[in-house]
Amino acid sequence: DFAFSEALASAGYAQGGGQLIATALDEEAEVLAKYACGAERLSKLRSIGAEVVCGIDARQLHEGPLATRDAFDRILFNFPLLPVTAIPGHAGQYDVHLANRALLVDFLHSAQHLLRPNGAVIIASKDCFPYSWWRIEALPQWSRGDLAFAGMLPWQYT
């Protein structure tokens, strides 16, 4: 629902020479239909100076509209989770975990192509079941590239 992007933009991360690009898998019409605050939030993001790009598949960043941009200092994936429609109805619990883990491996593989040297990829996720089964700390080595796990910070509820 772009709440985190709005918080970053409101804190000044979309100003002062930096650029904030907020993305979503959903097309903009879907965002507006899905979230009651969607129109207001997207409007606020744009008025602050952030760019909103919808229809972005995190597994294909290096092939989509972001591929032609200047390299990024940071790429952030907030609370990744495959949409329910992407998981077959007969999939078991373990299949869902593996599918979400594969999503993150593909994301990391794709994101590294858009990153500046010494840039960072950040994944915000819960550290409890079932998310801990994704083994985020091991994903960089599975992503077929040069990324390395730098560490984990505890989530602070606000």
Side-chain angles (χ1 to χ4, degrees):
D1 72 353
F2 290 94
F4 188 76
S5 298
E6 180 186 19
L8 286 175
S10 296
Y13 287 93
Q15 305 161 356
Q19 185 176 13
L20 175 69
I21 302 175
T23 66
L25 176 61
D26 294 331
E27 295 295 339
E28 188 162 340
E30 294 172 287
V31 171
L32 298 176
K34 191 183 286 187
Y35 303 109
C37 60
E40 179 183 345
R41 200 161 267 154
L42 295 184
S43 176
K44 183 172 182 184
L45 280 166
R46 290 176 172 131
S47 72
I48 294 172
E51 183 176 349
V52 176
V53 183
C54 295
I56 300 296
D57 185 339
R59 298 169 294 190
Q60 302 295 324
L61 296 173
H62 64 292
E63 296 177 2
L66 302 178
T68 58
R69 306 291 182 114
D70 290 340
F72 291 86
D73 294 317
R74 289 174 205 86
I75 299 174
L76 174 63
F77 200 162
N78 269 325
F79 301 101
L81 190 63
L82 280 170
V84 174
T85 56
I87 301 170
H90 63 278
Q93 176 178 343
Y94 299 107
D95 295 332
V96 171
H97 298 310
L98 292 174
N100 279 296
R101 186 183 296 164
L103 161 72
L104 290 173
V105 167
D106 291 343
F107 161 71
L108 290 170
H109 176 73
S110 184
Q112 67 189 341
H113 297 288
L114 277 65
L115 207 57
R116 284 195 174 126
N118 299 315
V121 176
I122 302 163
I123 299 172
S125 184
K126 297 178 182 179
D127 187 29
C128 61
F129 176 82
Y131 311 100
S132 57
W133 283 26
W134 297 355
R135 301 206 39 224
I136 290 176
E137 71 281 358
L139 298 181
Q141 71 189 36
W142 300 339
S143 67
R144 308 173 309 276
D146 296 326
L147 296 176
F149 182 73
M152 184 172 80
L153 299 172
W155 182 256
Q156 303 291 326
Y157 294 115
T158 57

